[in-house]
């Protein structure tokens, strides 16, 4: 049996290597944290449509889903649409104030996202109050995610929508960047105990 | 005035929270203290404690869905309102709560 006893020189190298490994590990942790922060930006500017062409509920959902597909968030566009329409059947997602929040928890979704669409002329959402919808939030959530995540986002968004300033800011924002910033701020905050 | 509220809606995803926010905002605007419990699809949040019920002047409940643990408010003045009305007309509902309290005091 041969036992190798490293000489001084080699031991020094091992020591240096350890420093490198630990530095690399720290670097990796920092990078991972930055990436996580970026990933939690649910509303990216590419997912914002300032001028929806659709004038009807179904068309608006299809138009916004196109954005999701184009940005690579979906496994299957048709499958996702089916799930969103199914939810719409259970109950109309127009919530008043000219806002609708269609949403789908679907195995066809790769990653949670919110798509925002704005319509100046208004969309017929076939809601009881017949109020035209000017702001649409389409929420896409993967099936395997605990259902709580998308419900929490919806809850935060719903609370924010009560704020008239917030609604106005959304309608008046000139760029997608402004809207993305507004929405990320709202969906990341903690609920303040009232 | 100390107001307590509980909100719930059939799907439990949007109106429950919009109503809670609207009610809290309207009450604070009129100088009242308020706590609103939400009974939504996430579960019960911001739960009202027994001692808070003792201190409360009035309870506002939404009536679209059966409110859980309603019996804890027994003996307190209660206003039942539609969740949609709370979202749209929270100011009027808080004003009504003030009225109910004022009448009770007169008696």
């Amino acid at each position: 049996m041969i036992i190798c006893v490293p000489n001084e020189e080699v031991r020094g190298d091992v020591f240096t290597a350890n420093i490198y490994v630990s530095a690399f590990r720290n670097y990796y942790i920092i990078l991972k944290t930055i990436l996580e922060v970026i990933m939690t930006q649910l509303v990216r500017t590419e997912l914002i449509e300032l001028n929806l062409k659709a004038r009807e509920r179904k068309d608006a959902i299809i138009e916004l889903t196109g954005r999701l597909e184009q940005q690579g968030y979906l496994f299957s566009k048709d499958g996702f649409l089916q799930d969103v329409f199914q939810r719409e059947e259970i109950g109309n997602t127009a919530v008043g104030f000219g806002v609708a929040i269609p949403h789908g928890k679907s195995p066809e979704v790769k990653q949670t996202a919110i798509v925002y669409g704005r319509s100046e002329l208004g969309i017929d959402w076939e809601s009881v109050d017949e109020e035209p919808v000017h702001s649409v939030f389409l929420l896409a959530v993967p099936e395997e995610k605990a259902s709580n995540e998308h419900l929490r986002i919806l809850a935060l968004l719903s609370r924010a929508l009560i704020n008239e300033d917030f609604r106005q800011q959304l309608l008046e924002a000139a760029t997608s960047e402004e809207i993305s910033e507004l929405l990320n701020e709202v969906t990341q905050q903690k609920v303040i105990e009232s | 005035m100390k107001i307590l509220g509980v909100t719930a809606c059939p799907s439990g995803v949007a109106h429950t929270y919009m109503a809670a926010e609207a009610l809290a905002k309207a009450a604070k605007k009129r100088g009242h203290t308020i706590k609103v419990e939400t009974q939504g699809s996430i579960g019960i949040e911001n739960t009202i404690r027994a001692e808070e019920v003792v201190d409360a002047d009035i309870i506002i409940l939404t009536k679209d869905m059966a409110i859980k643990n309603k019996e804890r408010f027994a003996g307190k003045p209660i206003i039942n309102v539609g969740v949609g009305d709370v979202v749209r007309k929270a100011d009027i509902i808080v004003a009504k709560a003030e009225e109910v309290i004022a009448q009770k005091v007169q008696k």
Side-chain angles (χ1 to χ4, degrees), chain A residues 10 15 55 65-67 76 79 88 109 112 125 167 169 177:
Chain A
V10 174
F15 182 67
R55 299 299 309 278
T65 301
R67 279 272 168 151
S76 149
E88 223 39 61
V109 178
T112 305
W125 213 261
R167 297 198 302 266
Q169 280 171 333
E177 283 78 13

Side-chain angles (χ1 to χ4, degrees), chain B residues 22-23 26-27 29-30 60 79 81 85-86 88-99:
Chain B
L23 202 56
K29 203 170 85 187
R30 297 177 78 98
I60 299 173
I79 301 180
V81 283
D85 288 338
V86 181
R88 287 182 170 78
K89 299 176 256 180
D91 284 333
I92 296 172
I93 288 161
V94 173
K96 195 181 156 198
E98 289 168 5
E99 232 171 82

Side-chain angles (χ1 to χ4, degrees), chain A residues 135-184:
Chain A
S135 278
V136 183
F137 297 90
L138 174 64
L139 201 68
V141 181
E143 181 79 43
E144 76 271 17
K145 278 255 177 188
S147 59
N148 259 357
E149 181 181 350
H150 93 285
L151 295 172
R152 279 191 188 282
I153 296 166
L154 270 179
L156 286 171
L157 197 59
S158 304
R159 282 179 184 272
L161 287 169
I162 285 299
N163 187 341
E164 205 188 326
D165 290 342
F166 175 71
R167 297 198 302 266
Q168 207 56 37
Q169 280 171 333
L170 278 178
L171 293 179
E172 283 169 3
T175 63
S176 308
E177 283 78 13
E178 273 176 63
I179 291 180
S180 146
E181 215 167 286
L182 271 168
L183 294 179
N184 282 321

Side-chain angles (χ1 to χ4, degrees), chain A residues 87 94-97 101 103 129 131 148 151-152 154-155 158-164 192-194, chain B residues 11-15 17-22 24-25 28 34-36 38 41-42 45-46 87-88:
Chain A
R87 169 60 191 84
V95 291
F97 310 109
I101 318 180
H103 47 279
D129 59 15
E131 201 181 337
N148 259 357
L151 295 172
R152 279 191 188 282
L154 270 179
S158 304
R159 282 179 184 272
L161 287 169
I162 285 299
N163 187 341
E164 205 188 326
I192 302 156
E193 292 251 322
S194 51
Chain B
S11 69
V13 290
H15 279 95
Y17 304 96
M18 292 175 90
E21 192 73 21
K25 209 176 146 197
K28 282 173 191 162
I34 182 159
K35 175 167 178 172
V36 187
T38 50
S41 46
I42 310 171
E45 289 182 304
N46 211 17
V87 173
R88 287 182 170 78

Side-chain angles (χ1 to χ4, degrees), chain A residues 3 11 28 77 80 92 96 104 149 173 187 193:
Chain A
I3 300 168
R11 258 184 278 172
Y28 172 73
K77 184 183 170 180
F80 175 71
N92 196 294
E149 181 181 350
T187 49
E193 292 251 322

